[in-house]
Structure formats: structure tokens, C-alpha cells
Amino acid sequence: MEGGARLRGGASKGDIRQKVWDYLEASGLADFPRPVHRRIPNFKGSHQACCSIRELDMFIRAREIKVDPDKPLEGVRLAALQGIKEYSVPVGLEGKAQVDLVVVGSVAVSEKGWRIGKGEGYADMEYAMMVSMGAVQEDAPVVTIVHDCQVVDIAEELLGDHDLTVDYILTPTRIIKTDCKRPKPRGIIWHKVTSEMLAKIPILRSLHYKEKQAGKDVTLQDAHSDLANTNKPAALNQRATAENIRPQAAMGSAEIGKHCVEGDSLSPRLEGSGRITTVYVGNISPSLRVSELKCALREFHVTPLRLNWQGAQHRAFLDYKDKPAAESAVSSLKGLILGGYPLRVELAKNQRSQSQVEINSQKWV
């Protein structure tokens, strides 16, 4: 845009981000938190830009709005609170939410609706997750709030299938209708997802598990890289991946067939004496079978030493060799949904000695 960040031809996404961040800081347009680099940048006039959303019929009619937590979108969250919109309502895989309007932050955006975020892919991923959950339809409009200088030319070839486009751009001086015809993400593109993202987002882990059980190809970006960099047979690659990646980073990378085969080679043995650490798993679905829980534990690479199944009480206890292993299991399983029920996973309040475990629990078989 004239008077804004000047971009050379052939600029990459990274080039565009850097130019916009630099210009906001150098021109005195940047606002708290500073510096704006590596963020969805807040800018002077963001509240004014947000207020113009009240002029959009889609906002007036919307019953459920999804607003990203970025600082420059604060005014939209306030506008939603002043209406009849519910605020910060958590939505699970089995939820009945139907989002009518999505508001996202951007580092740069074009008048054609091409959008560039801060480079981590979370806005794109969250939208794709909502599509996979059935929480948002393709015709739900997407709005972004930016300063006028953030509206720049972006080459369409920079965009991937996973990139979210926008339908409206709100600035302190303009409301831009993009008339964007490029399709938005129609679900999660798993080969764009990293193990790190899977570890950070519990509901993403649940979606990964659900789609894998449905027979879809959910191979992660990391796994594609591993396969490309080795000449080992596929079966050996999977084994190496499972052994070399830390548990929470390896979620979903190992294949599971239609049945969970539980051989002796997968059953860890109790060794030595002393205290083990127990994990409590609650809110278990009445229809869930112990074999299904065991399959999930294997899928997330958190196989316990022993499992004490108490299905009638909708709970189970998992015994691990030490506290770090137990804490890793809690981190990996937290947010997992099985049988339509989100599991409650935490370290058990009452820890037992190994001798008590051997008397009261069954070995993992």
C-alpha cells in the first residue's frame, strides 16, 4: 500500500512479515505489547477498527462468534460481550456449536483476501479443526482487523491449501469486502501438522486419534521428513520413530490396525522396588471397553506398567515406573475424548508402593 510497508517483487511470506513489523515500529504505529515482531501486531487505532464490526449485518445476526485472543482484536471481544454473545465457551468434539462468524488477527493481508499470520499456523489450524468438528460451515465469513499499512500486495502462489483467507478487512479508515473466491481449508491437512503442535493442542490430539481410527491418512509432517531421510524399510522407520521421539511428541505417529494386539513385547515389567507413580483417569464413558483405552494408550505411546480398570466407577488407574513417566502420560492424554467423553487425567492423589500395586492391580497384558 502507498505510504505503508514497501515490498519488493518476489517477496516471501517471511519478507512480508519482517517489512510490516519493521514499518509499524519505525513509523510509531506499533502499540503494546512491544516489540510487535513475531506477534500478531497491535497498532494505534485498533479499537477504532474493531468498532466498525458493529456496522456489519453478519455481526448483528451472529449468535456464535469465534474471536482469536490477539491484542488488536480486544475491541471485537468487547463488542461481542456488549451484545448477546456468550464469551469464552469451551467446545469439545461432541459439542453442538455452530460458529456464524470468525475473527482472526493478521500480520499482512491483501485486498483479495490473501492472509499472512505470524508464521506458526495456529489460526489456520484452529479454523481447520472447527471444520473437522462440524462447528463452522464453509459460508461462515472470516474477518480480520489490521492497520491500513498492513494491507499489501501478496502473491497468490505464496498460499497453500492450509492457509485461511478472509472475506472482510477492517482498518481504522476502511471496511474492505474482498470477494475472495479461494476455498478455505476443508479440514485438517495432517502432513502440515508437527508433533509439537499435536503436543500443545489437546483437541487436535483427539481429532488425530479419531480420524486415524476412521482409516484416514494422518501422517504428520515430522513423519514425512523421517521417511524422506532414510532408506530403512517402513516397518523399521515406524519403530525408530516411536523409540527416538519423546512420548508427547510422538502422538499418533505409530500405526494402529482394527484390533489392538497386546503381545508380551509391549508389556513393560516392574523392576526393583520402591514407589511407582499412579495416574488417575476419570470420566470414562459407560460404553468404553478396557481394550479401547489400551489401544489409545498405545497410540499415544504412554503404555503403563499396570492398569487397574474400574469401568463400573467410570475410572481407571495407570501405574508408571516413576513420576516423569507419569507426568508425560498426563500431558499426552489430557484433553483426549473417548466414546464422546473428555477424559479427566491427573496424578492420583494417593500414591501406592510397588508391593501394594502388585496385590491390588493387574499386569498390563
Side-chain angles (χ1 to χ4, degrees):
M1 177 182 176
E2 186 176 353
R6 297 184 180 277
L7 303 172
R8 60 179 173 80
S12 67
K13 283 185 177 181
D15 295 332
I16 295 172
R17 291 187 190 100
Q18 193 64 43
K19 287 289 186 181
V20 169
W21 286 328
D22 290 348
Y23 183 82
L24 285 168
E25 287 287 353
S27 63
L29 294 171
D31 207 346
F32 176 84
R34 305 275 300 277
V36 295
H37 294 78
R38 292 174 294 282
R39 307 178 191 270
I40 297 296
N42 194 19
F43 55 90
K44 294 175 181 176
S46 62
H47 186 74
Q48 180 182 347
C50 288
C51 285
S52 61
I53 199 169
R54 295 191 179 98
E55 301 175 25
L56 301 179
D57 288 340
M58 68 189 73
F59 177 80
I60 297 170
R61 295 194 307 266
R63 301 186 63 181
E64 296 189 33
I65 301 175
K66 195 273 186 188
V67 186
D68 282 358
D70 306 308
K71 183 67 174 175
L73 307 183
E74 198 170 66
V76 176
R77 294 191 289 274
L78 180 60
L81 280 173
Q82 291 173 340
I84 59 173
K85 301 358 181 225
E86 290 185 276
Y87 184 69
S88 193
V89 177
V91 178
L93 286 183
E94 309 301 324
K96 303 300 181 183
Q98 190 59 61
V99 175
D100 307 301
L101 178 64
V102 178
V103 184
V104 299
S106 302
V107 173
V109 64
S110 77
E111 293 192 9
K112 293 182 179 180
W114 315 152
R115 172 190 172 275
I116 294 177
K118 61 183 177 182
E120 296 180 355
Y122 285 104
D124 308 310
M125 177 57 60
E126 287 173 1
Y127 182 88
M129 287 165 56
M130 289 193 296
V131 171
S132 296
M133 294 164 55
V136 65
Q137 300 300 316
E138 188 177 354
D139 59 352
V142 177
V143 177
T144 194
I145 314 288
V146 295
H147 191 274
D148 292 274
C149 73
Q150 293 173 258
V151 182
V152 300
D153 291 332
I154 298 173
E156 186 174 5
E157 55 263 28
L158 292 179
L159 304 185
D161 292 341
H162 65 290
D163 284 317
L164 180 63
T165 56
V166 303
D167 303 294
Y168 287 85
I169 304 167
L170 308 186
T171 79
T173 65
R174 295 191 292 168
I175 296 177
I176 303 170
K177 188 174 186 295
T178 68
D179 294 317
C180 183
K181 298 296 188 288
R182 185 182 178 89
K184 295 180 174 61
R186 294 189 173 93
I188 300 169
I189 302 175
W190 290 107
H191 67 264
K192 297 286 186 180
V193 180
T194 65
S195 295
E196 181 181 5
M197 294 177 75
L198 202 68
K200 288 181 177 179
I201 308 174
I203 200 166
L204 184 61
R205 298 201 296 268
S206 294
L207 283 167
H208 185 264
Y209 179 75
K210 182 179 179 180
E211 294 197 5
K212 188 168 191 176
Q213 293 297 88
K216 295 184 180 180
D217 181 3
V218 293
T219 308
L220 303 181
Q221 184 183 101
D222 316 60
H224 276 294
S225 298
D226 290 341
L227 290 173
N229 293 329
T230 181
N231 292 321
K232 294 181 181 180
L236 293 178
N237 285 341
Q238 289 180 357
R239 181 178 178 183
T241 300
E243 290 175 352
N244 295 333
I245 300 178
R246 59 189 176 93
Q248 57 265 53
M251 296 170 191
S253 59
E255 287 293 331
I256 283 186
K258 292 183 179 179
H259 300 284
C260 185
V261 180
E262 302 173 56
D264 290 341
S265 62
L266 296 180
S267 300
R269 308 286 184 181
L270 283 171
E271 297 179 359
S273 61
R275 298 187 66 84
I276 63 168
T277 304
T278 302
V279 171
Y280 166 83
V281 180
N283 198 39
I284 291 177
S285 167
S287 64
L288 191 74
R289 295 175 296 178
V290 64
S291 60
E292 293 174 298
L293 177 60
K294 288 183 176 181
C295 281
L297 296 173
R298 291 173 185 271
E299 163 74 7
F300 288 100
H301 301 285
V302 289
T303 302
L305 298 172
R306 295 178 186 272
L307 183 152
N308 183 352
W309 174 257
Q310 299 180 12
Q313 289 77 40
H314 312 300
R315 66 189 183 192
F317 294 91
L318 314 176
D319 296 321
Y320 292 90
K321 63 180 182 179
D322 52 31
K323 189 172 182 180
E327 289 176 338
S328 176
V330 171
S331 175
S332 297
L333 297 173
K334 189 165 290 185
L336 179 64
I337 297 174
L338 291 178
Y341 283 61
L343 298 182
R344 177 186 171 190
V345 186
E346 60 190 35
L347 294 180
K349 295 179 180 178
N350 296 320
Q351 298 293 331
R352 299 164 294 166
S353 67
Q354 178 172 314
S355 59
Q356 289 175 307
V357 170
E358 290 173 345
I359 293 173
N360 299 324
S361 302
Q362 296 180 355
K363 186 179 293 185
W364 174 275
V365 292

